[in-house]
Every structure is written in C-alpha cells, then in structure tokens.
C-alpha cells in the first residue's frame, strides 16, 4: 500500500492514525480526509489507489463521486438564497414554480422539499436514464404527480428526487441550473475542486469506484449488526429492514429514480449531467473547506451566517412518522431519521458526527461532509471503496477521532 501523504498539525495525530488504520485493516482502497478548524487546515491526508487495475495512486487532486454527500452542497445553495431574501421556506413551492402546484401540491411549502417530507420520493411515471440526464422530463413528471402521503405528516428519504425538487426551485429563482449556481456562488469563491456536472477536462482526476466484498455471512448477520448500531431490539431491526428498506419498498424505488445504476454511474453522460442529490465529484479538502465556510471565515469568505445555520439545522422530522414503519414500531424508530433542512443532525449512537450541535450529510460509498458550529470545524472524507453495509464505520471512526482531538470524548 502506498504511503499516506499530506499534513497533520500537532495534536491531530489521532485522526491520521485512524485514517492509516483504515488502509492497514483493508477498509480503504484509496481515500482522502481533511479537517478545518477556525478556517484553517489542521488535517489534509490522502493515500492508497485511485484505480487498482491501473495501479494509479490517489493524488492530492484526485476527486471521486460522493453520492448523497452532494445533498449538503445542494442544501447550501438553497440556504444561500434564503440568506439573500430570495427564497422563503414557508411559502408554497408553486410561488416559485407554478407548474408544481398540480395534483394537490399548490400549498406544499418549500421546507418540505428540504426535509424529505414532500411525499415525492420517487416518480410514478417511467423516466429513462437519458431523460433524467436531460433534467426537464423528470421535472415534468414531478409536476403532475400526487404526493404519496399528506405532506408534512410523514417523511422518507428522497434519495434522487431531492436534487430535482430543490434544484428546480433554485433554477426558477436564479435562472441557473443548480450545478451552475453551485459553481459560481460556492465552488469558485472558495476555490473548491467540486462539481455537480463534471467538466470533461477533469475526467482524468476521477478515482475509479470499487465495490467492497459483502462483509456478512448472511442477511441475518447484517440485520443484527444494523440493530446493534442503531440501538434497536433485533426483532424491531428486522422489521425496519424488511418494511422500510426491503425489496419493493418505497425506499428502494426512491433510489432507482432516473434509471441510475452502478454501471451507468461510470458513464460520461452521468458525470456530465446534474443529479443534485447524488453526483457531485469532489475531494475531501473541498468538502471540508465548504463546510468550514458555514461555521467560520475561510480566507476572508463566509458562506452562511450564524442565523442562517441556526435555522437550517433545526430538526424537522421529529414530529412526523417515517413512511412504511408499522405503527407498533414507531416509538422505537422515531428518531432514526434526524433530518433538518437538508442536513442530518448528530444522532447517537448511529452517527454522533462532530458533536451535539453538528450537522452534515453522508453518501453511499462512505463519504461524509460535516461541520460543528461550536468548535468551528469543517470535515470531509472521500473514499473509492464502496461497502455493502447499511452503516459504514469509517467516517464514524474518523469523526470520533476528531471529537477526541477537540476534547469532546
């Protein structure tokens, strides 16, 4: 294994040790990890292989698909408009996007799009991969669709539609696609290596994704591990996995929107298109720097002000039920989805992130972006070895090391 490169300030060695251990223990193939504190870098590490087949090392400028970690960047675009007075979260979406008001959605407020409470986790009109890449056909399908539940009464992760819903609102207000707005208003001012809609000239920088071996002997073992991590009784864990995440569930349909598969995620067409819920390409330094700019100044630039951060991180899903969970299991599962306005909140014991006040967003494959207003920390982790586990321990262990370095045991 190629040596880990980068820098670590004194007092942050535990993060570096944890990062190296992931390679030593076979948990990582190639990866990067970065930590900002008070607007400056204290950890910036990368190592391993960006492409095993070609024996290409992971370099400082390597970027990778970060899947749903994209959602945090998309949420920041929306909250930047809120901060500027251009977007009101409590008015109907139809105020900005009139066609959305069809099929009983005329009063659905913008905040339900950001908190996954809109009842539109998938599209019930067939939309091909090519149509999703083109944007408008999928948006037209969402316009005419009736919500699956009474908006605000339930919640469920809008795995792919989240990006089209929030992205179209941003487009209607600014006249720019979400990817363009992100590039001009966030990535460019901060100098980020991060794109939602990857320019072709950056293709040589992209790490090749690789699926990790299934880490369990059986599905029963996976469910048991899931229950242990979530603090659930084994019977409850089994029911949640079956009813919420099982084959044919709404959750599974939500992840299949737009015909995106493991195969076409490698295509230039997917990388070039804008899927603002799932296809940002970035490195860990960019993600940490972006989140740092929400809780501190970074080289004189602050993205979001404290009042904006305080409002956008208020939990929204504590008063609605998770769609698909049997009523008898609601008390035990009420806080499994601790979602604010576009960001997961710290949820011990599942994922404490950087502390009780912290917020962020993980992505399939293990990536994570997060920030903590109290300690003014921005964190980013990006790997290319994608595990099959329901909960990935790598970012959990890295953020635990950050908390220890901060004295937050």
């Amino acid at each position: 294994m190629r040596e880990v490169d980068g820098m670590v300030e004194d007092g942050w060695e535990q993060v570096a040790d944890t990062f190296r251990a992931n390679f030593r223990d076979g948990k990582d193939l190639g990866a990067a990890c970065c930590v900002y504190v008070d607007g400056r870098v204290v950890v910036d590490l990368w190592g391993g292989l960006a492409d095993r087949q070609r024996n290409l090392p992971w370099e400082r400028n390597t970027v990778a698909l970060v899947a749903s970690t994209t959602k945090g960047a998309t949420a920041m675009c929306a909250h930047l408009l809120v901060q500027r007075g251009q977007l009101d979260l409590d008015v109907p979406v139809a105020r900005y996007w009139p066609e959305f008001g069809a099929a009983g959605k005329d009063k659905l407020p913008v905040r339900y799009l950001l908190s996954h409470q809109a009842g539109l986790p998938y599209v019930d009109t067939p939309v091909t991969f090519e149509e999703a890449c083109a944007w408008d056909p999928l948006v037209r399908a969402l316009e005419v669709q009736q919500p699956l539940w009474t908006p605000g009464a339930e919640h469920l992760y809008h795995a792919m539609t989240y990006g089209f819903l929030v992205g179209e609102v941003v487009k209607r207000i600014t006249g720019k696609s979400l990817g363009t707005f992100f590039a001009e208003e966030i990535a460019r001012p901060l100098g980020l290596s991060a794109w939602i809609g990857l320019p072709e000239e950056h293709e040589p920088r992209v790490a090749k994704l690789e699926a990790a071996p299934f880490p369990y002997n059986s599905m029963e073992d996976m469910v048991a591990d899931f229950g242990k991590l979530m603090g659930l009784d084994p019977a409850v864990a089994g029911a949640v996995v079956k009813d919420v995440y099982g084959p044919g569930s709404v959750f599974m349909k939500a992840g299949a929107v737009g015909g995106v598969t493991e195969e076409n995620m490698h295509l230039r067409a997917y990388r070039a298109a804008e899927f603002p819920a799932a296809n940002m390409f970035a490195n860990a330094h960019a993600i940490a720097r972006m989140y740092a700019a929400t809780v501190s100044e970074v080289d004189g630039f602050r993205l979001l002000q404290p009042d904006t951060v305080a409002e956008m991180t208020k939990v929204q899903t504590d008063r609605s039920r998770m769609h698909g969970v049997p009523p008898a299991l609601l008390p035990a599962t009420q806080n499994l989805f601790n979602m604010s306005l576009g960001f997961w909140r710290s949820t011990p014991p599942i994922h404490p992130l950087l502390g009780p006040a912290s917020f962020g967003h993980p992505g399939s494959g293990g990536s994570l972006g997060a920030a903590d207003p109290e300690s003014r920390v921005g964190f980013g982790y990006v790997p290319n070895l994608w595990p099959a586990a329901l909960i990935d321990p790598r970012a959990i262990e890295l953020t635990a090391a950050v908390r220890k370095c901060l004295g937050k045991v």
Side-chain angles (χ1 to χ4, degrees), residues 137-376:
L138 202 149
V139 168
R140 299 288 87 80
L142 289 168
E143 287 174 353
V144 300
Q145 185 163 321
Q146 184 176 347
L148 187 60
W149 60 78
T150 301
E154 300 183 32
H155 59 261
L156 191 75
Y157 193 51
H158 288 44
M160 296 298 288
T161 58
Y162 171 95
F164 289 91
L165 292 166
V166 177
E168 185 66 15
V169 171
V170 170
K171 184 178 180 181
R172 294 299 178 112
I173 293 171
T174 67
K176 300 173 182 177
S177 72
L178 192 287
T180 300
F181 185 82
F182 172 75
E184 293 180 356
E185 302 291 343
I186 297 179
R188 189 175 300 163
L190 285 167
L192 307 181
S193 288
W195 299 269
I196 302 172
L198 182 73
E200 191 166 10
E201 62 263 32
H202 296 293
E203 282 283 342
R205 301 172 58 178
V206 177
K208 185 176 181 181
L209 304 182
E210 184 173 314
F214 189 67
Y216 302 103
N217 294 324
S218 66
M219 288 297 294
E220 289 73 20
D221 287 347
M222 184 185 75
V223 170
D225 190 40
F226 172 77
K228 182 179 178 181
L229 287 167
M230 305 285 263
L232 297 176
D233 176 90
V236 173
V240 169
V241 169
K242 176 179 176 292
D243 294 334
V244 180
Y245 304 114
S249 66
V250 174
F251 183 88
M252 294 302 291
K253 291 179 182 179
V257 168
V260 179
T261 64
E262 290 184 13
E263 289 72 28
N264 57 33
M265 282 194 302
H266 298 279
L267 298 177
R268 173 66 197 147
Y270 179 71
R271 294 174 175 180
E274 293 184 20
F275 286 79
N279 83 331
M280 182 165 73
F281 286 80
N283 57 24
H285 186 273
I287 292 172
R289 186 174 174 87
M290 177 177 70
Y291 271 93
T294 68
V295 294
S296 64
E297 283 195 0
V298 177
D299 293 334
F301 179 82
R302 176 147 186 167
L303 178 62
L304 299 175
Q305 297 303 314
D307 288 350
T308 304
V309 173
E311 287 299 315
M312 77 184 192
T313 56
K314 289 181 178 178
V315 174
Q316 304 292 304
T317 54
D318 54 349
R319 293 180 298 277
S320 57
R321 62 184 290 266
M322 183 180 286
H323 181 79
V325 174
L329 300 182
L330 284 175
T333 59
Q334 183 61 35
N335 296 320
L336 293 186
F337 191 64
N338 203 25
M339 179 61 63
S340 65
L341 290 164
F343 302 94
W344 293 79
R345 293 300 311 277
S346 173
T347 312
I350 306 166
H351 205 318
L353 294 178
L354 301 168
S358 62
F359 62 95
H361 211 294
S364 293
S367 62
L368 175 69
D372 181 46
E374 292 181 347
S375 52
R376 298 173 302 284

Side-chain angles (χ1 to χ4, degrees), residues 32-84:
C33 179
C34 183
V35 182
Y36 268 73
V37 180
D38 280 325
R40 62 184 182 84
V41 182
V42 296
V43 176
D44 195 7
L45 298 170
W46 59 90
L49 295 174
D51 187 326
R52 191 196 301 268
Q53 287 183 330
R54 295 191 292 164
N55 199 36
L56 292 179
W58 190 294
E59 304 285 3
R60 183 188 185 112
N61 71 343
T62 297
V63 297
L65 177 65
V66 298
S68 285
T69 297
T70 309
K71 290 182 175 71
T74 295
M76 289 179 200
C77 291
H79 291 294
L80 191 55
L81 293 177
V82 173
Q83 183 170 275
R84 293 173 178 174

